[in-house]
């Protein structure tokens, strides 16, 4: 009997496929996004040395203080703006966008567009 896979298994499989083609370098690091039911996380990673250069999430006090809810599209857009500002402070202008196997709509799209508007290029 064939059993249906759950959404998490499908997302992880998509992410593994994506990671074969996406890789962050020192010149062009990877912007990795993860969303849970309650929060969103964004990291800019240099995969050549396996180091996180910049990170932001809705759990951080300064981000959470600006938000009414931490799991909606407005929170994702604000997080995109915050991660872009922190990246520009570190001198990172271009990144490779890793959506983490999530569909590019809703919160993921809002985060990406806000990061682009704030000055990141991808």
């Amino acid at each position: 009997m064939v059993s249906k896979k759950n959404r998490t298994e499908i997302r992880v499989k998509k992410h593994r496929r994506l990671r074969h083609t996406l890789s962050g370098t020192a010149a062009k690091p990877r912007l990795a996004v993860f969303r849970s039911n309650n929060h969103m996380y964004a990291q800019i990673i240099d995969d050549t040395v396996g180091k996180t250069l910049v990170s932001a999430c809705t759990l951080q006090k300064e981000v959470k203080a600006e938000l009414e809810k931490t799991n909606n599209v407005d929170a994702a857009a604000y997080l995109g703006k915050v991660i872009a500002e922190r990246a520009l402070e570190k001198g990172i202008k271009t990144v490779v966008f890793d959506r983490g196997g999530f569909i590019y709509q809703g919160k993921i799209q809002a985060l990406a567009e806000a990061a682009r508007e704030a000055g990141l290029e991808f």
Side-chain angles (χ1 to χ4, degrees):
M1 184 172 172
V2 177
S3 63
K4 186 177 178 183
K5 292 184 179 181
N6 64 21
R7 287 184 180 186
T8 305
E9 290 174 359
I10 293 168
R11 184 196 68 78
V12 169
K13 191 173 178 182
K14 281 183 194 174
H15 191 217
R16 283 196 197 117
R17 276 196 314 256
L18 279 171
R19 287 288 288 121
H20 285 292
T21 58
L22 295 177
S23 182
T25 62
K28 199 170 185 182
R30 174 171 58 100
L31 172 59
V33 176
F34 177 76
R35 69 174 176 81
S36 68
N37 287 337
N38 296 324
H39 296 283
M40 288 199 70
Y41 308 83
Q43 294 179 321
I44 296 181
I45 304 166
D46 180 2
D47 288 318
T48 55
V49 292
K51 185 177 177 188
T52 299
L53 306 172
V54 180
S55 68
C57 71
T58 55
L59 282 170
Q60 295 171 334
K61 281 186 179 181
E62 60 272 10
V63 176
K64 198 172 188 178
E66 298 292 323
L67 302 173
E68 189 175 320
K69 290 180 75 177
T70 58
N71 63 348
N72 59 7
V73 175
D74 296 331
Y78 183 72
L79 188 65
K81 185 179 133 201
V82 168
I83 193 77
E85 288 171 355
R86 291 181 184 177
L88 292 172
E89 285 174 11
K90 292 263 185 160
I92 301 167
K93 293 185 177 94
T94 59
V95 294
V96 176
F97 187 66
D98 177 10
R99 59 189 171 91
F102 296 104
I103 298 169
Y104 187 81
Q105 68 180 20
K107 297 172 194 169
I108 303 295
Q109 183 179 6
L111 188 144
E113 289 175 356
R116 281 190 190 108
E117 287 174 12
L120 275 183
E121 295 175 15
F122 55 92

